[in-house]
Amino acid sequence: MQNVHKKPPRGGEKRRLWWLAAALVLLLLLTLLPRLTPEAPQALPEEPISTAQTLYDYAPSDVFSITIRRGEEEPWTVAMTEGGQMTLQGEDGFLLSEATAAALADAACIIPCEAVLTNDPAEYADHLADFGLDSPRYEAIITYSDGVVAHLRIGDPGTENRAWYYMIIEGDDRLFSFSRGMVEALFVSSDSLREIQSPVVHKARIDQITLTSPTGVIQWTLDGRIIDMDAADKWRITAPFTYPADAQAMEKLIAGAANLRLGAYVCPATPENLTRYGFDEPRLTISIHMDAGTIGMTTPYGIVEATDYPAATVTYVIGGARDDMVDYVRCGNDIYVSSHFTVGVFMNYDVAATMSRYPVMTALGNLSRLTIREGDAVTDYIITRTEQVAPNNDLVTDAYGNPVYTAAVTCNGEPMDCAAFEAAYNALSLVSVSGTLPAGEPITAEPHTVYTFTDVDGTVHTVALATFDALHDAVIVDGHAAFYLIKGGFRFNPD
């Protein structure tokens, strides 16, 4: 008897029921999804309704008042006085300079837009946050002389490169784009309204620079007159020790001092503000002394006008740091900010960087006597100068109006060849040191050779040589040892 194979049960009906149920659930989700998901901002028309146009058009003299708010900063207001001057309102108010007032009036008198993005407020009213207009970045209220008030609200930038910003105006249904240039011109900080006049510092008149810090005092002094032809070679370190200064290093230092500038005004230097901004313990005081002198300035008409200036001292006190880029600076009775890149040059200054590598401090033209002591032997050179007189009995002068002299030299009282002396002295002036002495190792050996230079004005400088090691001598200038040179390298030889 054959087995009868039973037909397996069919499952197709169950699968169809599952697929139907899944389809119903999916349809339900698709129906509910728009209600569960926040609506995306409605897209504005791809093309603006209109292009650039002028929304307010007045003359600068028609601007009566301006109120500006920038982000979380306190708003400020400027208004015209009866005398036609613009004044910052409030307890710390002041008159704006003509240039600052003119710039503000120019920015506020004509308000243009880059484009009208839409005329219909329904297209953006529910999405102000998407354009940064629910809490505007900037607000301006401008009142004109005819009573018209323009209340601008500026939101987020509309492009990645911030070429323009979204803007709405109170009382106007339209949405605008506002140029970045207008934002920068109109929405300035109140600090920038005060005209900052940095003290006048003439590079050519500087004859002393002093840096005072918690670690001590560094000072450079011009050992001569600012009008001297060789003034650049007459700078000396006068604190914390005496030493000739390198002309090129001093050129950079003097230029840095002359280029110091004050930034924005912060506040008056009251006791409370001095404490607040770190002046109870200043990090540095920069004192710049200028000799009396005449400075020629070229007028806009190309005429050079000479102005006489009296001697003066300008002082900058460096307090705390606002951040890595900006420091607080006191000048006079006020506190300002200044770029750290200018004042920071003088902080922790390495005075050794300005020490001359040439020990001779006296120029040949200023030398009146040179005495050399080697052991017990002393050689004494004396230079005398006689003014040259022309046949008409007038004094002979050089191209700069200085008298021309005829020099004579004696060695231990005996006349000697002046040209040979000059050649030997010029060679000695060109001798430079070989290296720097190790820090913390004082020179205890007695000098075996001492050069004494006497200027025509009576100033005396000394260069002493003491044994440092088998091959080198320490060079001691005016009692300060900083460098060494090879033995026999510093020698006056007129023969």
Side-chain angles (χ1 to χ4, degrees):
M1 180 176 174
Q2 293 182 347
N3 292 325
V4 178
H5 297 285
K6 296 182 179 180
K7 193 174 183 180
R10 298 176 59 190
E13 289 80 357
K14 290 183 178 182
R15 283 196 297 271
R16 281 197 295 271
L17 289 175
W18 279 111
W19 280 111
L20 180 60
L24 290 174
V25 171
L26 179 61
L27 180 61
L28 180 61
L29 289 175
L30 292 174
T31 303
L32 295 177
L33 187 60
R35 301 180 185 180
L36 299 175
T37 305
E39 293 185 19
Q42 293 182 342
L44 294 173
E46 293 184 1
E47 296 293 332
I49 301 301
S50 63
T51 55
Q53 59 182 270
T54 300
L55 305 176
Y56 296 88
D57 191 356
Y58 288 89
S61 59
D62 292 328
V63 177
F64 179 75
S65 69
I66 306 170
T67 298
I68 296 294
R69 181 188 65 77
R70 296 164 21 115
E72 301 299 323
E73 297 178 10
E74 288 294 321
W76 54 264
T77 298
V78 294
M80 297 298 295
T81 65
E82 293 182 359
Q85 292 180 297
M86 192 173 283
T87 306
L88 179 69
Q89 306 296 293
E91 183 178 348
D92 297 326
F94 54 86
L95 287 175
L96 274 63
S97 69
E98 291 185 8
T100 302
L104 268 183
D106 286 342
C109 65
I110 299 176
I111 305 298
C113 70
E114 293 287 285
V116 178
L117 301 177
T118 177
N119 288 321
D120 186 1
E123 294 185 352
Y124 66 86
D126 294 335
H127 307 287
L128 292 178
D130 297 310
F131 305 121
L133 293 169
D134 56 336
S135 298
R137 293 183 177 219
Y138 309 103
E139 279 191 88
I141 302 175
I142 305 168
T143 303
Y144 300 101
S145 55
D146 61 2
V148 172
V149 177
H151 188 167
L152 316 179
R153 292 186 174 92
I154 312 299
D156 291 339
T159 58
E160 291 184 2
N161 62 0
R162 298 174 179 261
W164 57 267
Y165 292 74
Y166 291 104
M167 178 180 73
I168 55 176
I169 299 177
E170 189 171 295
D172 196 316
D173 290 337
R174 295 173 292 177
L175 177 66
F176 306 96
S177 62
F178 197 54
S179 76
R180 170 177 152 182
M182 283 299 300
V183 169
E184 293 175 348
L186 188 58
F187 295 97
V188 297
S189 69
S190 59
D191 291 340
S192 66
L193 300 179
R194 187 184 296 268
E195 185 177 30
I196 305 301
Q197 292 185 342
S198 295
V200 175
V201 177
H202 295 130
K203 178 180 174 182
R205 294 173 52 219
I206 296 176
D207 62 357
Q208 189 175 76
I209 300 174
T210 306
L211 306 181
T212 304
S213 69
T215 59
V217 177
I218 302 175
Q219 186 178 76
W220 299 266
T221 303
L222 178 63
D223 189 12
R225 302 174 303 167
I226 58 174
I227 60 174
D228 290 343
M229 295 300 298
D230 59 345
D233 298 317
K234 290 186 175 182
W235 277 92
R236 307 287 182 255
I237 299 168
T238 48
F241 49 80
T242 300
Y243 210 88
D246 179 75
Q248 292 184 343
M250 289 307 302
E251 171 68 18
K252 294 179 181 178
L253 183 69
I254 295 168
N259 287 331
L260 287 172
R261 294 290 182 272
L262 298 173
Y265 173 85
V266 177
C267 59
T270 62
E272 297 80 6
N273 288 334
L274 290 174
T275 298
R276 178 182 178 186
Y277 293 106
F279 291 94
D280 287 346
E281 296 181 359
R283 290 181 291 161
L284 181 68
T285 298
I286 305 171
S287 180
I288 305 167
H289 184 269
M290 292 174 289
D291 196 5
T294 303
I295 301 296
M297 303 293 290
T298 303
T299 69
Y301 302 101
I303 301 173
V304 178
E305 294 182 349
T307 304
D308 294 329
Y309 292 88
T313 300
V314 174
T315 301
Y316 299 94
V317 183
I318 315 303
R322 191 181 74 179
D323 50 44
D324 292 341
M325 309 287 285
V326 175
D327 295 305
Y328 292 107
V329 178
R330 177 183 180 180
C331 187
N333 296 321
D334 296 301
I335 297 174
Y336 305 82
V337 290
S338 183
S339 169
H340 183 71
F341 295 104
T342 56
V343 300
V345 171
F346 297 92
M347 294 183 179
N348 303 314
Y349 203 94
D350 181 12
V351 65
T354 61
M355 297 173 70
S356 175
R357 268 53 178 172
Y358 298 90
V360 175
M361 301 174 66
T362 304
L364 176 61
N366 296 326
L367 184 69
S368 66
R369 186 171 191 171
L370 172 62
T371 303
I372 305 173
R373 179 182 64 80
E374 296 182 272
D376 295 330
V378 176
T379 306
D380 193 25
Y381 300 91
I382 296 178
I383 301 94
T384 57
R385 295 176 176 85
T386 305
E387 295 176 336
Q388 294 184 10
V389 180
N392 61 358
N393 289 327
D394 288 340
L395 292 178
V396 178
T397 58
D398 60 18
Y400 301 99
N402 300 311
V404 177
Y405 296 91
T406 299
V409 183
T410 62
C411 175
N412 291 336
E414 296 295 328
M416 67 168 293
D417 183 22
C418 186
F421 179 89
E422 291 181 358
Y425 192 85
N426 288 332
L428 187 69
S429 300
L430 296 177
V431 174
S432 62
V433 298
S434 304
T436 304
L437 292 170
E441 295 186 17
I443 300 301
T444 58
E446 287 295 321
H448 57 75
T449 304
V450 178
Y451 287 72
T452 302
F453 302 82
T454 304
D455 286 12
V456 292
D457 62 0
T459 302
V460 176
H461 298 292
T462 61
V463 176
L465 305 175
T467 298
F468 172 55
D469 59 26
L471 297 177
H472 300 91
D473 283 332
V475 182
I476 308 169
V477 178
D478 286 347
H480 185 81
F483 303 103
Y484 63 83
L485 53 69
I486 192 167
K487 281 185 177 295
F490 192 86
R491 184 176 294 278
F492 182 73
N493 186 10
D495 297 331

